[in-house]
Amino acid sequence: MGTVNKMTAIGLSCVVLVAVVVAVVVVSKNNGDDNKGSGGEVHTSNKAINSLCQPTDFKDACVKSLSSSNSEDPKVLIKAGFEASEKEITEVISKSKTLQDAAKDSSTKDAYGLCKHLLETSIDDFKRSMDKVGNLNAENVKKFVADLRTWLSGALNYQVTCIDAFQNTTGDAADKMKDLLGPSHELSSNALAMVSELTKIFDSLYKSIGQRRLASVDNEIPDWISAHQRHLLQAASAPNAVVAQDGSGQFKTIGEAIKTVPVGNTKPFVIQVKAGVYNEIVNVPRKTDNVVLVGEGATKTKVTGNKNFIDGVKTFQTATFSVDGDMFMAKDIGFENSAGAEKHQAVALRVSGDRAVFFQCQMDGYQDTLYNHNYRQYYRDCTVTGTIDFIFGDSASVFQNCKMVVRKPMANQACMVTAQGRAEARSTGGNVIQNCTITGEAGLTPATKSYLGRPWKEFSRTIFMQSSIDSLIDPEGWAPWQGDFGLATCYFAEYQNRGPGSDTSKRVNWKGIVKNMNDADIQQFTAAKFIQGDQWVPGTNVPIENGLMKV
């Protein structure tokens, strides 16, 4: 296509896009959507702003943030919304520094310090979302919107995690931070709402273009998968680095090997870790991408540490091994926090990187063993052990063929396998536990009450499907968090499970318990739909079932 014709087509696409936005808004209003914030009316002469702000919960803030641009191009307006969010979060960081300096105790100072790091990461999610929007068009939207929703959900989750850092601090520091983050939360929520609506908008636009082109876009291979990445596991035979305690490798610690990965790395960087117990705290930093960690067996190669909440460390920072870089993969390695049940929150593995894969790994701990914190994650043939909330976080995670093992807690404690942390209704987070086994360690008696999970945040979402559930799970199935918090707004579902603990006849009768699901209902929680697993997991050669499994 020539330049003039191409520009004409782009202009026409924008006109059609605005028209479709308006159409979607009209349909939404006619269907009686319940809007929070300033209600269903949006007051501005800019029709594109009216349309984009209609699905948001905080409409006045939306109109104000978009009105800084005189454009009617939806992409320009959405980017203006992202920029407003960035600016607001930057101001929060500046104001919180003053509060940190005034704090009188070390725990509160540490919380403000952690918040700064978390909010800077939230800003980074807006920046990469802005870059993605700049390349958005009618032909690639199917590929890009899932990324945008994931990263904006992540941006919101970092703000929530900031507030969580003030757990058990003295005074009103937590309330002050909540107040500071109020405007940025509104803008971030609005950004997610606008992007979520783009799915409907472009679906309608696709119909006007034709289904043939849509099919070709759906089957497009993601840009970041290189030919080399299709054979990650084979690449372990020629690793970039070898770690061995006996000196037979280039490094004696995993941390030293991680430091040699180039920032912004675009190719698999394979680190072979020979058998041994590595007593070290390891972090894969943000923008240190495509790291592949290969051990010699989940019980033979183990990373261990004992940081914990009782000793004064924030839960987020207790992790023995933490992943902040994208496209991380681990195979045949164990992650442990040995602090023990008496030390309360003590994370073995925290994963805050997008498109992370764990294959034949083991995570051992007690309370808060696996912090599947953010973005998209896939776990295959793994074992996770613990007591209270031992799988917790707000990533969109799929577990397949894994084993969740309940350990013996302290006296008078009940055990919860999951505590999912979705705090925003539109966020992508949730746990999908498919064809897994939920069981107890040897010696665990019926005196210990054990549950599938509880609602850590207001919109907590967990689905157990096609899994084997042992009798240790209490007939009620799910436990409350505190009072009636989240019981009406959570989304807890069980589908085609088996075993003595799978009987749902005596389950709790909360509004948030989903009943009578069928094959069509459950499709949204298959790996292909929920984490777009069919697009990026095959490049690792790790097995994945993208639909329902034959069990």
Side-chain angles (χ1 to χ4, degrees):
M1 183 183 293
T3 304
V4 174
N5 288 338
K6 188 174 183 180
M7 292 304 296
T8 301
I10 292 171
L12 179 60
S13 294
C14 289
V15 171
V16 174
L17 176 56
V18 172
V20 175
V21 174
V22 174
V24 170
V25 170
V26 171
V27 171
S28 296
K29 290 180 75 174
N30 288 341
N31 287 339
D33 285 356
D34 181 20
N35 294 301
K36 296 186 292 183
S38 58
E41 297 298 323
V42 183
H43 303 287
T44 174
S45 60
N46 187 315
K47 292 182 180 180
I49 292 178
N50 280 339
S51 300
L52 286 169
C53 289
Q54 189 61 43
T56 65
D57 290 339
F58 307 99
K59 293 178 176 57
D60 288 341
C62 180
V63 171
K64 183 178 179 181
S65 66
L66 302 193
S67 294
S68 60
S69 172
N70 293 322
S71 175
E72 290 202 0
D73 182 341
K75 290 199 300 184
V76 173
L77 292 172
I78 290 172
K79 290 175 74 172
F82 292 176
E83 289 171 347
S85 298
E86 283 187 49
K87 181 180 179 182
E88 188 62 47
I89 298 170
T90 300
E91 290 181 4
V92 171
I93 293 173
S94 177
K95 293 175 182 177
S96 66
K97 179 63 168 64
T98 302
L99 295 174
Q100 181 182 22
D101 292 341
K104 296 181 180 179
D105 64 281
S106 60
S107 179
T108 303
K109 285 183 179 292
D110 290 345
Y112 280 120
L114 176 56
C115 264
K116 180 178 182 294
H117 164 71
L118 295 168
L119 295 180
E120 287 172 344
T121 310
S122 182
I123 289 173
D124 190 57
D125 275 334
F126 277 104
K127 289 185 181 299
R128 65 172 167 175
S129 296
M130 193 178 306
D131 290 341
K132 184 74 76 173
V133 167
N135 296 318
L136 194 67
N137 58 53
E139 295 183 351
N140 63 23
V141 66
K142 280 288 187 179
K143 187 173 78 171
F144 285 177
V145 166
D147 285 347
L148 290 169
R149 294 188 66 235
T150 297
W151 298 339
L152 293 176
S153 296
L156 272 163
N157 189 31
Y158 278 111
Q159 295 170 44
V160 173
T161 308
C162 162
I163 295 171
D164 290 340
F166 289 88
Q167 180 184 1
N168 291 350
T169 55
T170 58
D172 58 354
D175 291 334
K176 287 180 179 179
M177 183 53 71
K178 285 181 183 178
D179 290 342
L180 280 179
L181 282 171
S184 66
H185 170 79
E186 291 185 3
L187 292 174
S188 300
S189 173
N190 287 345
L192 179 58
M194 286 187 286
V195 166
S196 297
E197 196 69 14
L198 281 180
T199 305
K200 296 179 183 178
I201 294 167
F202 277 104
D203 276 347
S204 298
L205 185 56
Y206 268 133
K207 291 175 183 177
S208 69
I209 294 172
Q211 293 299 319
R212 183 179 61 81
R213 180 57 186 162
L214 174 59
S216 67
V217 173
D218 278 345
N219 294 327
E220 187 173 348
I221 296 173
D223 295 336
W224 59 271
I225 294 182
S226 67
H228 183 49
Q229 280 179 301
R230 296 175 186 274
H231 303 284
L232 288 180
L233 299 187
Q234 288 89 330
S237 61
N240 298 86
V242 177
V243 180
Q245 292 177 328
D246 61 7
S248 60
Q250 299 104 309
F251 306 100
K252 290 188 176 182
T253 69
I254 300 170
E256 289 175 319
I258 295 291
K259 290 178 181 178
T260 66
V261 181
V263 174
N265 177 55
T266 59
K267 296 181 179 180
F269 191 99
V270 180
I271 300 173
Q272 180 186 354
V273 186
K274 292 189 175 182
V277 177
Y278 295 82
N279 194 338
E280 56 176 310
I281 304 300
V282 183
N283 173 248
V284 181
R286 183 88 166 184
K287 301 186 188 302
T288 301
D289 300 334
N290 293 290
V291 174
V292 182
L293 200 67
V294 181
E296 295 187 342
T299 59
K300 295 179 179 179
T301 302
K302 181 186 292 186
V303 192
T304 188
N306 62 3
K307 284 189 174 184
N308 62 84
F309 186 80
I310 291 298
D311 287 349
V313 182
K314 302 299 179 185
T315 302
F316 188 88
Q317 297 169 320
T318 63
T320 299
F321 196 103
S322 54
V323 178
D324 293 303
D326 289 342
M327 294 164 282
F328 175 86
M329 178 180 168
K331 177 182 181 289
D332 290 331
I333 192 164
F335 306 92
E336 178 188 58
N337 192 310
S338 62
E342 66 277 7
K343 293 295 187 176
H344 295 201
Q345 297 96 321
V347 177
L349 173 66
R350 173 178 61 79
V351 186
S352 305
D354 193 16
R355 295 169 292 194
V357 176
F358 292 84
F359 182 40
Q360 298 174 177
C361 292
Q362 183 156 332
M363 302 87 182
D364 292 319
Y366 286 87
Q367 183 172 348
D368 293 357
T369 304
L370 172 59
Y371 193 176
N372 58 337
H373 176 240
N374 230 346
Y375 312 122
R376 290 164 288 196
Q377 303 176 20
Y378 178 63
Y379 298 81
R380 177 79 179 207
D381 300 341
C382 293
T383 298
V384 190
T385 73
T387 54
I388 300 170
D389 307 335
F390 63 92
I391 299 173
F392 78 113
D394 191 30
S395 66
S397 287
V398 173
F399 298 81
Q400 290 184 347
N401 294 7
C402 293
K403 182 181 289 186
M404 288 76 179
V405 182
V406 179
R407 303 179 76 173
K408 185 178 180 180
M410 294 192 297
N412 302 316
Q413 284 185 331
C415 293
M416 278 66 62
V417 177
T418 66
Q420 207 281 324
R422 191 169 66 134
E424 174 76 21
R426 293 185 183 89
S427 290
T428 58
N431 291 319
V432 174
I433 298 172
Q434 184 178 17
N435 198 37
C436 295
T437 299
I438 293 83
T439 189
E441 69 177 359
L444 190 70
T445 68
T448 297
K449 287 260 191 179
S450 300
Y451 300 90
L452 295 175
R454 57 177 178 164
W456 179 30
K457 302 295 182 183
E458 187 176 4
F459 298 97
S460 180
R461 180 164 62 175
T462 296
I463 297 90
F464 283 83
M465 55 191 284
Q466 302 183 303
S467 291
S468 175
I469 304 175
D470 283 357
S471 59
L472 81 156
I473 295 299
D474 190 89
E476 291 191 340
W478 306 88
W481 181 264
Q482 186 174 21
D484 61 359
F485 174 79
L487 304 189
T489 50
C490 67
Y491 189 105
F492 291 160
E494 299 174 60
Y495 183 73
Q496 289 187 351
N497 295 309
R498 57 194 182 275
S502 67
D503 182 1
T504 60
S505 62
K506 296 181 181 179
R507 292 296 195 247
V508 290
N509 194 30
W510 307 337
K511 186 177 179 180
I513 300 295
V514 182
K515 299 180 180 179
N516 302 318
M517 297 188 79
N518 56 38
D519 282 0
D521 297 328
I522 205 69
Q523 287 298 321
Q524 62 183 309
F525 300 114
T526 58
K529 296 288 186 180
F530 197 59
I531 60 171
Q532 301 81 52
D534 57 332
Q535 297 181 26
W536 54 276
V537 176
T540 66
N541 275 1
V542 173
I544 184 170
E545 295 290 339
N546 285 304
L548 294 175
M549 302 176 75
K550 294 180 181 180
V551 296

